[in-house]
């Protein structure tokens, strides 16, 4: 069970070269297992973060140009926080699906930066809270993990199946079937021929995964306001406001904050 | 063809629970009041002005495990069944580790090989102990174990092996001592292990069942269930240590997978596990593909059908608790 939060941060021209960015961070909840409590989960956390960086390193995955407000001046930076609540095997796949779903769900408000006579810049947010831009997630890849057990490989392994597997291959596949990155994990070895087989299976499974995910996301989108509220909505979980950034799903009652320029 | 199914999150509806057979069980959840009668009972005559002459006082209720007193009320601290023995009131937790009782059959995994004994993991609070003097040697020979036997312990059972054993005795700290002094116990070869909560395994006369569908099952009291292909002939001389590592035919594997999924389906709905319940569930699942049994709607359908076809076989007390708070 994974919770993903996408926060947008409005940044100034401090780093014009680093404009249009996406930063990834993740955390492990200690309710997973005792080994992940405290400092134990750090290794897994950095592992997940590095894998996600590699997956999204392809330029086309997320359309970063849409995050630009004023070229070379202002842009949106997306922070993706992943919280691992329960681990039932195959976490990388689940995390990548959750990240894609969160990016699909992200609504970025339309802002305009106006310049006064004295040269001070004013940020203007449109009054309508539903006036926002959405990200195009067609090219966002999903990770498919193929675990080698014996002489064959399985997809979507449970915890017990992962314990039996000595080597796994993580492949990130886009909806068109293009492989953007590949990573081998585990202490066992993989035959080059089995790697080719696994890649083919991964492409096939990845394409079906994207189709199923898009269908569900469109279904949820069509439910609109009548979609069943999740537990997080009910308990009113909100991101900490001291970072002065806007939450992913802008709700009508929240006042947007802007950083001081 | 790769088949991927996804669904939106939905609240899980609790399955309709009828009263379990075997009388009413007093179920409590943490914080529930068990009884308000915790005051002292007076016995003997009262003497006024006796200046300290005691009046014998008897407590109406003795507090056992799983309870505590607050504001003159006896409150449960765990979710479970209230058990009363004369004045002792205790709450037996439902989701607890396995508490060994003498004569129970358990399935366990060897975790350590020590001097003259093995440590076995049985889902209890402490690792169970299998003494070297409590096993049958291969070949069925009965003799006093010597120093060579001690050095050759790893040849009989090493770390990671699964065994079926019976509880011989319980140490004072609660650790369970096992024995495999019968030909039906011993090392387990090929099969599938399913780990469930110990309270879901019904106590029966025998826990080794040869199901007519083509597989056999060992229902360990500690919640470890072992499903394996039925042995063609009983090897009496084997002594329980020879591992049959021949490849298992596909039809047997399918039966075992189906049984495993049926058991997982029953456990999801907190039904008691015994040979008849597993068999009815298996028969109800024959119309579906093995991999579909784990889908929520198919699970519900199979479990309901199994309950109906067998009359109302008892659902575990956990299910009644689920219904109260689900």
């Amino acid at each position: 069970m994974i919770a993903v939060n996408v926060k947008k941060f409005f940044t100034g021209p401090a780093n014009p070269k680093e404009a249009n960015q996406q930063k990834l961070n993740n955390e492990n909840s200690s309710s997973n297992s005792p080994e992940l409590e405290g400092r134990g989960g750090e290794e897994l956390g950095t592992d997940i973060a590095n894998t996600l960086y590699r997956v999204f390193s392809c330029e086309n995955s997320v359309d970063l140009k849409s995050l630009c407000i004023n070229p070379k001046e202002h842009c949106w930076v997306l922070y993706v926080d992943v919280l691992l609540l329960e681990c039932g095997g195959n976490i990388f796949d689940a995390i990548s699906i959750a990240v894609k779903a969160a990016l699909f769900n992200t609504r970025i408000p339309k802002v305009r930066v106006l310049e006064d006579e004295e040269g001070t810049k004013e940020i203007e947010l449109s009054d309508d809270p539903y006036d926002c831009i959405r990200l195009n997630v067609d090219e966002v890849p999903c990770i498919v993990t193929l675990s080698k057990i014996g002489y064959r490989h399985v997809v979507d392994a449970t915890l017990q199946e992962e314990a039996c597997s000595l080597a796994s291959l993580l492949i990130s596949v886009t909806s068109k079937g293009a492989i953007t990155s590949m990573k081998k994990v585990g202490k066992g070895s993989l035959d080059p021929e089995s790697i080719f087989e696994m890649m083919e299976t991964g492409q096939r499974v990845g394409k079906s995964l994207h189709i199923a995910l898009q269908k569900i996301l469109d279904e949820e989108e069509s439910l609109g306001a009548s979609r069943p509220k999740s537990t997080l909505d009910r308990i009113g979980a909100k991101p900490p406001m001291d970072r002065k950034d806007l939450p992913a799903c802008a709700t009508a009652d929240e006042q947007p904050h802007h950083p001081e320029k | 063809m790769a088949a991927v199914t996804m669904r939106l999150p939905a609240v899980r509806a609790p399955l309709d629970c009828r009263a379990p057979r075997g009388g009413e069980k007093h179920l409590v959840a943490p914080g529930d009041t068990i009884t308000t009668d915790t005051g002292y009972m007076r016995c003997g005559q009262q003497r006024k002005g006796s200046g300290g002459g005691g009046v014998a006082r008897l407590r109406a209720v003795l507090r056992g495990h799983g309870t505590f007193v607050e504001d003159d009320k006896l409150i449960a601290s765990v979710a479970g069944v209230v058990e009363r023995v004369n004045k002792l009131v205790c709450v037996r937790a439902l989701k607890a580790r396995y508490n060994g009782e003498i004569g129970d059959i358990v399935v366990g995994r060897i975790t350590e090989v020590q001097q003259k004994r093995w440590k076995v993991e049985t889902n209890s609070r402490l690792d169970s102990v299998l003494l070297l003097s409590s096993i049958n040697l291969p070949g069925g020979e009965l003799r006093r174990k010597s120093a060579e036997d001690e050095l050759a312990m790893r040849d009989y059972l090493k770390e990671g092996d699964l065994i079926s054993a019976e509880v011989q005795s319980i140490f004072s700290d609660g650790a369970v001592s096992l024995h495999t002094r019968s030909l039906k116990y011993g090392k387990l070869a090929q099969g599938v292990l399913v780990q469930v909560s110990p309270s879901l395994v019904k106590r029966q006369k025998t826990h080794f069942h040869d199901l007519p569908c083509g597989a056999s099952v060992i229902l360990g009291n500690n919640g470890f269930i072992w499903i394996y292909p039925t042995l063609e002939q009983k090897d009496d001389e084997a002594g329980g240590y020879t591992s049959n590592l021949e490849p298992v035919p596909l039809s047997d594997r399918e039966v075992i997978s189906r049984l495993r999924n049926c058991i997982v389906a029953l456990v999801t709905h907190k039904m008691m596990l015994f040979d008849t319940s597993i068999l009815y569930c298996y028969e109800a699942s024959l119309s579906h593909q093995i991999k579909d049994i784990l889908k929520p709607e198919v699970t519900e359908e199979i479990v309901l059908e199994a309950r109906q076809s067998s009359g109302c076989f008892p659902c575990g007390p956990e299910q009644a608790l689920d219904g109260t708070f689900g």
Side-chain angles (χ1 to χ4, degrees), chain B residues 58-317:
Chain B
L58 289 173
R59 273 192 164 265
V61 140
L62 276 176
R63 286 179 287 119
H65 285 301
T67 63
F68 64 97
V69 176
E70 194 180 292
D71 295 336
D72 262 350
K73 288 186 292 193
L74 194 65
I75 300 182
S77 61
V78 287
V81 180
V82 175
E83 286 180 344
R84 283 174 191 257
V85 179
N86 297 338
K87 284 192 221 147
L88 177 66
V89 177
C90 58
V91 182
R92 187 166 49 91
L94 288 172
K95 194 179 169 188
R97 291 219 169 222
Y98 169 62
N99 270 331
E101 310 216 355
I102 297 180
D104 278 356
I105 312 285
V106 292
V107 171
R109 201 179 279 276
I110 309 284
T111 49
E112 275 178 57
V113 180
Q114 294 181 346
Q115 272 189 323
K116 286 212 184 88
R117 60 193 196 170
W118 289 272
K119 286 285 187 171
V120 183
E121 198 244 308
T122 51
N123 196 23
S124 41
R125 288 191 196 92
L126 292 168
D127 270 345
S128 308
V129 165
L130 176 64
L131 296 171
L132 178 60
S133 48
S134 311
I135 64 164
N136 265 351
L137 288 167
E141 44 182 313
L142 299 166
R143 59 176 167 78
R144 215 186 161 87
K145 309 293 189 297
S146 60
E148 286 97 29
D149 290 314
E150 207 179 314
L151 293 169
M153 276 174 76
R154 212 169 278 268
D155 296 334
Y156 308 141
L157 294 169
K158 57 185 197 307
E159 288 92 341
D161 283 344
L162 272 172
I163 55 160
S164 66
E166 190 182 333
V167 175
Q168 184 177 41
S169 62
I170 306 182
F171 292 120
S172 49
D173 55 1
V176 150
S177 176
L178 305 171
H179 78 89
T180 57
R181 277 202 164 283
S182 171
L183 292 168
K184 55 182 182 170
Y185 306 126
K187 187 155 73 167
L188 300 170
Q190 298 186 78
V192 172
L193 182 74
V194 186
Q195 292 172 329
V196 310
S197 167
S199 54
L200 287 175
V201 179
K202 189 171 173 188
R203 261 177 210 283
Q204 288 183 289
K205 270 211 201 110
T206 167
H207 287 259
F208 290 78
H209 303 284
D210 279 341
L211 299 176
C213 46
S216 303
V217 73
I218 303 179
L219 296 163
N221 284 96
N222 60 335
F224 284 15
I225 297 171
W226 179 248
I227 315 167
Y228 60 106
T230 312
L231 298 163
E232 283 306 320
Q233 79 282 12
K234 299 282 175 185
D235 266 334
D236 286 306
E237 308 87 35
Y241 286 97
T242 51
S243 299
N244 184 13
L245 291 174
E246 281 170 18
V248 177
L250 182 63
S251 51
D252 280 351
R253 283 177 196 257
E254 285 183 353
V255 169
I256 293 176
S257 311
R258 193 177 278 277
L259 274 173
R260 186 251 175 205
N261 280 356
C262 286
I263 292 179
V264 170
L266 287 169
V267 164
T268 326
H269 287 281
K270 310 277 196 292
M271 309 293 287
M272 292 292 272
L273 291 169
F274 49 102
D275 54 344
T276 337
S277 72
I278 299 175
L279 206 51
Y280 280 127
C281 194
Y282 177 85
E283 278 161 20
S285 75
L286 282 173
S287 54
H288 300 270
Q289 280 203 316
I290 301 176
K291 55 185 171 158
D292 289 338
I293 300 176
L294 294 174
K295 287 190 191 161
E297 57 274 356
V298 178
T299 309
E300 210 174 303
E301 187 195 316
I302 290 175
V303 170
L304 275 174
E305 199 183 315
R307 274 171 94 183
Q308 276 160 10
S309 63
S310 68
C312 173
F313 62 72
C315 57

Side-chain angles (χ1 to χ4, degrees), chain A residues 104-223:
Chain A
F104 178 82
N105 224 349
T106 309
R107 290 170 174 77
I108 306 175
K110 289 195 180 131
V111 288
R112 286 189 306 146
V113 181
L114 305 164
E115 196 160 326
D116 273 355
E117 306 85 38
E118 296 123 28
T120 53
K121 296 206 162 64
E122 280 281 313
I123 300 158
E124 193 189 299
L125 188 71
S126 68
D127 286 329
D128 182 9
Y130 294 107
D131 183 22
C132 43
I133 49 174
R134 307 284 294 269
L135 290 173
N136 183 8
V137 292
D138 284 339
E139 295 292 325
V140 171
C142 273
I143 300 179
V144 177
T145 309
L146 299 122
S147 313
K148 180 174 159 211
I149 299 176
Y151 297 119
R152 305 292 193 92
H153 51 272
V154 293
V155 185
D156 192 15
T158 58
L159 273 177
Q160 287 105 341
E161 286 161 358
E162 277 181 359
C164 297
S165 142
L166 286 172
S168 314
L169 198 64
L170 266 74
I171 299 178
S172 63
V173 190
T174 61
S175 53
K176 296 192 180 67
I179 297 181
T180 58
S181 77
M182 210 158 83
K183 184 176 172 186
K184 183 234 167 242
V185 292
K187 55 187 188 216
S189 59
L190 285 175
D191 199 60
E193 292 205 359
S194 48
I195 294 183
F196 281 126
E197 269 177 33
M198 285 169 152
M199 274 167 59
E200 276 173 36
T201 316
Q203 275 180 307
R204 220 177 46 228
V205 171
K207 280 200 255 195
S208 323
L209 190 64
H210 277 284
I211 295 172
L213 180 61
Q214 198 56 47
K215 204 171 99 172
I216 279 285
L217 289 174
D218 291 335
E219 197 184 306
E220 202 200 4
E221 196 66 25
S222 63
L223 285 176

Side-chain angles (χ1 to χ4, degrees), chain A residues 34-54:
Chain A
E35 296 109 41
L36 295 179
E37 204 177 357
R39 299 295 300 274
E42 253 182 55
E43 204 184 293
L44 179 63
T46 40
D47 209 6
I48 295 174
N50 288 337
T51 312
L52 286 174
Y53 268 124
R54 209 200 273 208

Side-chain angles (χ1 to χ4, degrees), chain A residues 3-17:
Chain A
V4 175
N5 193 6
V6 179
K7 296 196 196 77
K8 297 160 297 300
F9 189 45
F10 187 91
T11 189
N15 297 322
K17 289 206 178 69

